[in-house]
Amino acid sequence: MTETVGKKRAPVRTRDEKYDERRTQLAESALTTLGELGYARTSLREIAQHSEFSHGVVHYYFNSKADLIVHCVRYYKTKCSRRYDGVIATAATGEELIEGFVDTLVETLRNEAPMHRLWYDLRGQSMFEPEFREQVAIIDGLLEDMIWRIVTRYSELTGAVPAFSPGTTYAMVDGLFVKALLEHVNGTADALENLREQAFAILPALFRS
Amino acid sequence: MTETVGKKRAPVRTRDEKYDERRTQLAESALTTLGELGYARTSLREIAQHSEFSHGVVHYYFNSKADLIVHCVRYYKTKCSRRYDGVIATAATGEELIEGFVDTLVETLRNEAPMHRLWYDLRGQSMFEPEFREQVAIIDGLLEDMIWRIVTRYSELTGAVPAFSPGTTYAMVDGLFVKALLEHVNGTADALENLREQAFAILPALFRS
DNA sequence: ACCCAATCTTGACGATTGTCAAGGGCAGTT
DNA sequence: AACTGCCCTTGACAATCGTCAAGATTGGGT
């Protein structure tokens, strides 16, 4: 099916590619709706209504509602966790690395709070619904790896030695982020500054001098 | 059962007391059901079925489903956070305090995981449903205070000075607990030992020598 | 023993949901 | 031009839910 190449030279999008494009197109649309209402309170009809398709299409591209949210969150978090790679590659000093990391962290909290609360919603539901657990573990691993790349890069730049395991380090930073997210969603004005301050306060403590 | 002592004297339970008793009786029953299925997937009928009453009673004692879960979680978490008071009062040394704290933390994870995931469920939903936020903030304050009582007590016993603010400290410990809860619910065998190790590793870092 | 208010049961309503199947329209191929 | 497979729409089904109201039941005060 893929070798239509003979006639049309290069069909810009093959069948599967078009299928995947629609999938992520739907996922991106669903992401905003899910991020606004949460998993339980968002219906597939609501998702379709905020897209340019009808509600049957969702089932054509995703096996179930559970499939949809998992795909959405994993899609976003993969993209999100890569956002720090630039900082890691560019930073020439430890301070610069930390600055860039905290900046990105604060900015994603400011601009994409709905996506993050959706992730924590999914992770929370995975504690009740076994169906979610495998994918949640994968996403969690994504984030843990991202944090650890920051930590090891900082170690390379400054010679400081990580004081805790990757899992412990991630858990602490994540706890901080959750707290900031709760405050920010709550309308607390200085949630962003707080996160910045707290991050700067914590990060040095993650290493042995 | 009440054996109305004498004539009036002291009616062992007044109207309101009896009302409150039934309320917490229902709350305790609902707590196990909610802890098993989560907020979204638990119906009031399911809750009533696991109690000795019919589903109408739930609405007689609670204004809404939201009222019910909030009352349940707050009831449990208040009780749970007081569980550390004994350790704080008894501990004669810093090591003893930490030992007792971590022991209690690990035990509650082992024995009451459903209650804890219900709390995180409620906290997560509060990011989508403003109705929950006020009560969630109160419960969060309860826990932050509890952690801070441990920290200040440790400071008194050892002379070590807390390195972070109450909020930051609570956020880090909570992050650790969430991670352990996820692992434990997931069936990871060494989730409990991990929490113990990680807690012992972290706690000293919360103070300046 | 009687009465009244508190307590509890039962049944129903309106609304919503995930899921699926049947069918229409369109593109590319023969 | 006819056909075929893909994409999408529409409509429906079966189940479930929170909420409420009307009525039965109970128990304590008189």
Side-chain angles (χ1 to χ4, degrees), chain B residues 164-186:
Chain B
F164 305 105
S165 75
T168 307
T169 308
Y170 166 58
M172 288 192 290
V173 176
D174 190 59
L176 223 66
F177 189 76
V178 169
K179 182 175 171 56
L181 177 60
L182 273 162
E183 288 175 0
H184 183 251
V185 166
N186 227 327

Side-chain angles (χ1 to χ4, degrees), chain A residues 189-200:
Chain A
D190 50 0
L192 297 171
E193 313 163 18
N194 281 349
L195 175 60
R196 171 177 293 273
E197 281 181 22
Q198 293 182 333
F200 279 128

